[in-house]
Amino acid sequence: LSELEALMERMKRLQEDKEDEEASQEEMATRFEKEKKESLLVISGGICAFPAQFSFDDEIVSTDVSRYVEDPGFGYKDFARRGEDHLPTFRAQDYTWENHGFSLVNRLYSDIGHLLDEKFRMVYNLTYNTMATHEDVDTTTLRRALFNYVHCMYGIRYDDYDYGEVNQLLERSLKVYIKTVTCYPERTTKRMYDSYWRQFKHSEKVHVNLLLMEARMQAELLYALRAITRHLT
């Protein structure tokens, strides 16, 4: 099967498995922990921990971004160290954007919550209902996997989501691309962009980039707003 056909087959199989039998809460928690630990190994400091064919270090462009920022040393850091047995987890059910973050940010800055919420929803639901040459395709499962994988990299877990879907739908080269775009955007190369979903249209892959950026922004907001809530109470 081609990359596209294989992906569509996995999406179909996941839907059928979900209808037959849902994973237990314990199984879903275990799958999240596995995915969270693996995300720490995808890229760190520009080094890919996956096999050589997924390493793009040779094309990383050295750019001096320090002149554009006040703190040149500021940047992404993994939320936990490798090898730690108990990695910190942000349980989304304890502090969600819909139930907590939205109302707080509106209190802090009138109406900004409505604008942010509209932006998050628009990008999350953005789809042509196509996958390359295939039309009338429900891409909800795939979009959810992309969004939740970004939050997983930030230690955010949704209790009602089966992270086995992430492992099934997002191949390694795509995970490398996701973490680079989300955490180290200045290291993104055209080769990395071309390496995943080769049969997809550019416009569809742009949708992926938009979804990754909005997922990251929401993850950062959740941490910041939760800290403000704790301070206020």
Side-chain angles (χ1 to χ4, degrees), residues 7-17 169:
L7 177 58
M8 294 191 66
E9 181 63 28
R10 290 196 297 272
M11 290 173 62
K12 179 181 178 182
R13 188 166 61 247
L14 281 172
Q15 187 60 39
E16 292 173 348
D17 291 344
L169 298 177

Side-chain angles (χ1 to χ4, degrees), residues 158-215:
Y158 294 88
D159 291 344
D160 57 352
Y161 180 70
D162 182 0
Y163 288 85
E165 292 186 5
V166 170
N167 196 45
Q168 289 288 320
L169 298 177
L170 308 185
E171 69 274 11
R172 287 178 171 182
S173 60
L174 178 53
K175 287 182 177 179
V176 170
Y177 180 77
I178 290 172
K179 187 159 188 180
T180 305
V181 168
T182 307
C183 306
Y184 314 99
E186 73 280 1
R187 297 175 181 167
T188 308
T189 66
K190 186 176 185 301
R191 183 184 173 191
M192 298 175 72
Y193 172 84
D194 292 337
S195 71
Y196 80 96
W197 291 358
R198 295 174 179 85
Q199 296 168 298
F200 281 65
K201 300 172 186 175
H202 288 300
S203 56
E204 292 172 317
K205 296 174 82 166
V206 168
H207 283 184
V208 172
N209 284 4
L210 292 173
L211 187 60
L212 300 182
M213 291 296 95
E214 292 306 315

Side-chain angles (χ1 to χ4, degrees), residues 22-180:
E22 291 189 3
S24 66
Q25 283 293 320
E26 184 178 354
E27 288 174 324
M28 291 197 289
T30 300
R31 291 170 184 173
F32 169 76
E33 291 299 324
K34 179 181 178 181
E35 203 64 49
K36 182 172 63 172
K37 290 179 180 178
E38 184 184 278
S39 73
L40 297 176
L41 303 176
V42 173
I43 283 185
S44 181
I47 299 175
C48 175
F50 287 131
Q53 63 265 34
F54 298 113
S55 177
F56 306 104
D57 296 348
D58 56 328
E59 288 201 3
I60 291 178
V61 179
S62 177
T63 57
D64 180 16
V65 298
S66 61
R67 60 182 180 275
Y68 301 116
V69 295
E70 294 181 1
D71 181 5
F74 182 80
Y76 172 84
K77 291 184 180 180
D78 284 318
F79 63 91
R81 295 179 180 179
R82 298 184 197 177
E84 290 185 358
D85 292 330
H86 302 289
L87 303 181
T89 296
F90 184 134
R91 294 183 70 255
Q93 276 67 19
D94 295 337
Y95 198 94
T96 66
W97 165 254
E98 292 80 7
N99 297 330
H100 306 90
F102 172 80
S103 57
L104 175 60
V105 80
N106 259 345
R107 283 172 51 197
L108 299 174
Y109 195 121
S110 180
D111 293 331
I112 192 67
H114 294 285
L115 296 174
L116 288 170
D117 190 63
E118 182 181 0
K119 186 161 70 86
F120 291 146
R121 291 179 184 275
M122 181 183 70
V123 172
Y124 187 87
N125 294 315
L126 195 61
T127 180
Y128 297 134
N129 292 312
T130 63
M131 289 180 67
T133 57
H134 296 265
E135 298 182 352
D136 299 320
V137 181
D138 183 357
T139 62
T140 303
T141 303
L142 188 56
R143 285 181 281 120
R144 182 171 59 233
L146 289 165
F147 190 93
N148 286 355
Y149 182 64
V150 173
H151 279 204
C152 178
M153 291 193 305
Y154 280 82
I156 299 174
R157 180 197 168 201
Y158 294 88
D159 291 344
D160 57 352
Y161 180 70
D162 182 0
Y163 288 85
E165 292 186 5
V166 170
N167 196 45
Q168 289 288 320
L169 298 177
L170 308 185
E171 69 274 11
R172 287 178 171 182
S173 60
L174 178 53
K175 287 182 177 179
V176 170
Y177 180 77
I178 290 172
K179 187 159 188 180
T180 305

